[in-house]
Structure formats: structure tokens, C-alpha cells
Amino acid sequence: MNIYEKTKARGNSIAGKMMVLEGMIVLVPLLVIPFYPGEAGVSGIFLIPACLSILAGMFVCRYGKQISNSSRFVVFSWFYGILLAAIPFFLYGGVTPAQALFESVSGFTTTGLSVLNVEELPHIFLFYRAFLQYIGGLGFIMTMLLFVQEKDSAVLYQEEGHPDRLMPGIGKTAKVIGIMYGFFLFIGTVLYTIFGMPFFDSVVHTMCALSTGGFSNKMDSIGYYHSLPIECITVILMLIGTTNFSFLLLLFKGKIRDFCKASEIRFLGGLILITVPVLTVFLAAGGKTIGEGLRLSLFNAFSALSTTGYATCSYVEWPECALAVMILLMVIGGGLGSTAGGIKLARVCILLKNLVRNIRKKMLPDRTILLTYYHRGTEKELLENEQIEEASTYAGCYLCIYLLGTMLLTFFSGCTLVQGAFEFASSLGTVGLSIGVTNPDTSTICLFIEMIGMILGRLEIFVTEKYSTRLYCLSFHAKLK
């Protein structure tokens, strides 16, 4: 019996375990209460849904029916987790069911759009939102792998959108990723604290930067601190979050040359080198000084491309040409196999390489053979038609959904086309930057349009086609042993 058949045969057990795990996730914010004992009165808001989920999960483990395939289980895990996590927001009060669900979706999909006044929330809820993003960055299946044997979850791991198998076994891969994730959380928290950010804020912002989520406990986001060192630390954390875990492992092993050879990393660097000066010029033309424009461009370009969503300013007064650049970066997104959203750097890079090859073929004799290579760090591979087909199919579907979502959001919200394009690019790319369309007064239908975009963007549209993403990294990961 292969791994997939074992996973199907034990579908009921895995579903129950997932329900227990998601109940325990809702319990984690209670760890904040010893530090803020005055907030103990809201503990029941978390205890009730968490305990009910744990009890229901134990019942399903024993008596539940199996889930027919791994794709359905991934969808079940995410939708159950989103619904469960929305309950504390609703029980706390002051929000509609749609707004509570929106906050939960935005958290787990690592988007970062919010309809809450965060400066009025208790610390336990601020930590809760950040922890949702931290778990959402890893994914439910990845989190479960830290506690469940790999024979139950090997297929599910890939179905959730993780092409990375950094070690021979899935369990060891999850452990390596978990260690890296925890290590960067510690380092980021320490650096933030050293440069003047309060400890609690440091933990919250590090979790959300690494997960490329962007939730902040300040309405002005990172701009609240008016600190260049804090902005630089945030940029580094966003870069870590948007980088493929396999490339991060190269850095851990000291293989800097192989890291720099990767086509995805070079494409990321090229995009920043082009877009930051362009954004600076546009902002300078809009009234900013060159220094202000450069600082704003550097931070916000990284925030958009990494799909984190932290901001240092309002975009309401930005020139439309600058907004167009930001939209482009949000649509492209971060690294494949990272916590980021968007079409992904790897797919866009492959499509551009194929475009350049096709243009060159038009200019050369008919019988000329052109070979295009794609660097994966430790090796150089010939670009295959199957990779091009997967990238073009995904990008095409992504853009169609983006255009449809933009039109619907523009129509139902009454905003301008540029504002609708910006906001839905942020939703579908799980970015979290806002031009003001998303707020406590946003209509329910607009919230659902954005939620659909977030979920599709986080699960990468084709949940059942995740096996194709392994084509990008399979041989590379096998050589990382």
C-alpha cells in the first residue's frame, strides 16, 4: 500500500487529529494572560470553541468517516480552521459574523487586511491575530507534521502547496523548516527589541513579517515607529519570509554562491533594482524629496513583492503610476515554496525566459535550436515544456480571477478602477496593503469577494494539482541531503 492509499485509509483519524490541533491553536493565546492578568476575563472566548473542537476531534478520531482524498482533506482543514478561528472574534463583540470571518481568513491566509481597530483590542487578541498568521505561513499540514508521523501526511504536505522536501523524509523536512522558522522568530524579536520596539510588539511583528502576513498592532503599521533600523529589520524578515525554504537552507549551510546562482533569487534582485528607482522617480514627481521617495520605495516595494503588507505611509495620495508599479509587484508575488502569495517569482521567471526564447527563435533561422536553462541553486536544468505549461496555466487562471475580482469589487464598493485593482491584487496575492477600500464600513459582499480571493491565493487555486509544483524543485531538493 503506497503513502496515498495509507492516507486515504486513515482519513478519519487524520481529520480528527486536525480538529484537535486546530482547537489547540485557539488555546495558544491564553499564554498571554500571565503577562496581562487583567485580560483573564476574555479567556472563555477562546476556551469554549477550543475545547469543543478538541472534543469533536476526539470523537471523529474514533467514529468519523474517512475523507475520500487528500485534496478534500486540505480544503476541509482550511475551512474548518477558518470557521473555528472566527468564533473568538465574534464572541468578543463589536463585529458582524462576516467581519469575524474576514479577520480569520485574513489571518490564516497571511493576507493582513483588517476591519478591526487594532489599537482598541486587548493584547490577547493582538497576539491571537499574529499567531494565526504565523501558523498560516507554515500551513495546517506543516504544523500537523511536527506532531504526526509522516506516513499519515506525506501526500497532504504536497497538496497544501509545499514543493519542498529538504530532507529524505517529510518528517525531517518539517522539523528543519520548523527550526528555521523558530530561529528567525527569535532573532527578529531580539533585533526589534534592541532598536526600541516594545517586546510584545516585537513578537507580534516578527511573527507577521516571517509569515509575510502583515498584521500590526498599530493602525499606522511599521510607519508608527518612524525608525529606519526597524524598517531595515522588517525588510530583512520579509525577505526571509518570501524566500523559498530550500534556498534558505543553502544559506544555513553556507552555500552562498549556489544561493546567488538561483534564477528565482536573481529575478527577485532584478525586480527590486528596477522598481525601486522607478517608484522613487514617481514619488518625487508627486512631491516627495528624493530621499523620502527612496526610503518609501525601498520598504513598500519589498512589502508588496514579498506579499507581507506592512506599510510606512498611506497610499491614498500616491500617484496612479506608482500604484500601478505596486499592483504589478503584488501580482508577481514571492518565492515558490515560501510563505508568500502571488503568481510566484519562479513561474513569472520561467514565463519570461520562455518569452525571450520565443522572440529569439523568430529572429534566427528555422532550424536553429535554442536551449533555455533554469538555475535551482545547486544545478542548472533545461527548461521543459511541462514546466512552461504549468506556469502559463496558473498565471492565466490567476489573471482571469484577478480581472473578475477587480471588476466585482469596483462595482459593489463604488471605488475607482485603480482602487479596486489595488485592493483585489492585495487580496488575491495575500498581501494586505490597502488603499482604503477595506475598512469597518465595507459591505458584506465586498468582504466575501476579498475572502474568496484570499483563499484562492493562499491555496494556489488548483489544490488538486499541487503535484505539478514539485517539478520546480524536486531534483534540487534531493541534492540538499
Side-chain angles (χ1 to χ4, degrees):
M1 184 181 293
N2 59 32
I3 292 176
Y4 176 69
E5 290 170 340
K6 288 180 181 179
T7 302
K8 286 183 65 178
R10 302 185 183 188
N12 58 332
S13 176
I14 296 177
K17 290 176 183 177
M18 182 59 72
M19 293 170 71
V20 171
L21 172 65
E22 290 172 343
M24 294 176 66
I25 289 172
V26 177
L27 284 176
V28 170
L30 297 180
L31 297 174
V32 174
I33 290 179
F35 301 96
Y36 302 95
E39 300 178 4
V42 299
S43 59
I45 291 175
F46 297 92
L47 279 170
I48 293 172
C51 291
L52 289 176
S53 180
I54 291 171
L55 290 174
M58 294 171 65
F59 179 84
V60 171
C61 278
R62 186 171 181 84
Y63 301 108
K65 294 181 180 180
Q66 66 178 7
I67 294 178
S68 59
N69 61 53
S70 53
S71 298
R72 291 181 184 177
F73 175 74
V74 171
V75 173
F76 163 78
S77 300
W78 277 86
F79 277 88
Y80 179 82
I82 286 169
L83 290 171
L84 179 66
I87 295 175
F89 290 112
F90 181 68
L91 292 179
Y92 182 68
V95 297
T96 65
Q99 289 174 326
L101 190 62
F102 182 88
E103 206 71 17
S104 175
V105 171
S106 185
F108 273 135
T109 59
T110 70
T111 303
L113 289 171
S114 181
V115 292
L116 302 178
N117 185 347
V118 294
E119 295 185 358
E120 295 180 356
L121 288 176
H123 291 85
I124 190 171
F125 270 95
L126 295 174
F127 180 85
Y128 180 53
R129 295 164 76 246
F131 188 68
L132 292 184
Q133 292 202 327
Y134 193 66
I135 294 298
L138 282 174
F140 289 124
I141 306 303
M142 175 69 75
T143 305
M144 186 177 71
L145 275 172
L146 298 174
F147 306 99
V148 180
Q149 296 179 357
E150 68 173 85
K151 62 183 179 182
D152 289 328
S153 304
V155 174
L156 301 175
Y157 170 82
Q158 293 168 344
E159 290 285 352
E160 193 178 38
H162 300 289
D164 307 290
R165 185 177 286 214
L166 310 185
M167 294 295 171
I170 292 294
K172 291 183 179 180
T173 294
K175 186 178 293 185
V176 167
I177 292 176
I179 290 172
M180 287 195 293
Y181 218 49
F183 172 77
F184 289 128
L185 174 60
F186 172 77
I187 295 297
T189 301
V190 170
L191 289 176
Y192 272 141
T193 305
I194 289 174
F195 286 97
M197 186 181 286
F199 178 75
F200 180 81
D201 293 11
S202 299
V203 174
V204 168
H205 286 95
T206 303
M207 284 196 290
C208 296
L210 285 176
S211 62
T212 64
F215 271 156
S216 175
N217 50 4
K218 303 296 180 184
M219 293 298 292
D220 294 331
S221 190
I222 296 297
Y224 169 87
Y225 300 97
H226 301 288
S227 170
L228 182 59
I230 286 177
E231 291 176 22
C232 292
I233 293 168
T234 307
V235 167
I236 294 171
L237 292 174
M238 291 190 296
L239 269 175
I240 292 171
T242 199
T243 302
N244 190 308
F245 284 118
S246 59
F247 297 145
L248 290 177
L249 185 59
L250 287 177
L251 287 180
F252 262 80
K253 292 185 173 182
K255 299 181 179 180
I256 299 176
R257 181 175 297 180
D258 290 332
F259 175 84
C260 295
K261 283 182 180 179
S263 296
E264 186 175 316
I265 300 300
R266 291 187 175 186
F267 184 49
L268 170 64
L271 275 175
I272 293 298
L273 288 176
I274 293 172
T275 55
V276 168
V278 171
L279 270 176
T280 302
V281 171
F282 288 158
L283 292 178
K288 302 290 185 182
T289 65
I290 293 296
E292 290 174 336
L294 180 59
R295 181 172 172 177
L296 289 172
S297 299
L298 189 62
F299 183 91
N300 291 281
F302 271 113
S303 183
L305 187 59
S306 67
T307 72
T308 304
Y310 278 139
T312 55
C313 63
S314 170
Y315 302 104
V316 175
E317 297 181 357
W318 275 35
E320 290 191 351
C321 49
L323 294 177
V325 175
M326 293 289 285
I327 291 171
L328 176 63
L329 293 176
M330 288 191 286
V331 169
I332 292 174
L336 188 71
S338 71
T339 64
I343 294 175
K344 299 295 177 63
L345 290 164
R347 293 190 181 103
V348 177
C349 184
I350 285 173
L351 292 176
L352 288 177
K353 282 180 171 287
N354 185 55
L355 175 64
V356 171
R357 180 177 65 180
N358 289 340
I359 292 174
R360 290 180 62 194
K361 285 175 65 176
K362 298 291 184 182
M363 300 177 180
L364 296 173
D366 293 339
R367 295 184 178 180
T368 303
I369 298 176
L370 293 176
L371 300 179
T372 302
Y373 293 93
Y374 188 85
H375 289 265
R376 309 187 186 283
T378 56
E379 63 178 22
K380 181 173 70 173
E381 293 181 358
L382 184 65
L383 194 61
E384 302 288 349
N385 289 333
E386 193 170 4
Q387 295 170 316
I388 297 169
E389 181 181 350
E390 193 277 339
S392 59
T393 300
Y394 185 85
C397 291
Y398 190 98
L399 293 175
C400 287
I401 293 170
Y402 172 60
L403 292 174
L404 177 61
T406 297
M407 290 188 291
L408 290 174
L409 191 60
T410 302
F411 177 78
F412 286 107
S413 69
C415 64
T416 66
L417 181 61
V418 172
Q419 291 173 328
F422 187 96
E423 207 78 5
F424 195 72
S426 182
S427 301
L428 185 60
T430 68
V431 182
L433 296 174
S434 177
I435 201 169
V437 176
T438 306
N439 56 67
D441 298 322
T442 303
S443 66
T444 298
I445 189 170
C446 289
L447 293 180
F448 273 101
I449 291 170
E450 293 183 57
M451 281 190 276
I452 292 171
M454 294 178 200
I455 293 171
L456 289 175
R458 176 58 181 86
L459 295 181
E460 297 196 17
I461 303 173
F462 302 112
V463 180
T464 58
E465 299 297 328
K466 293 301 182 186
Y467 67 87
S468 62
T469 60
R470 284 175 280 166
L471 294 171
Y472 292 120
C473 306
L474 188 58
S475 58
F476 172 46
H477 295 156
K479 294 194 175 185
L480 285 174
K481 300 177 185 179

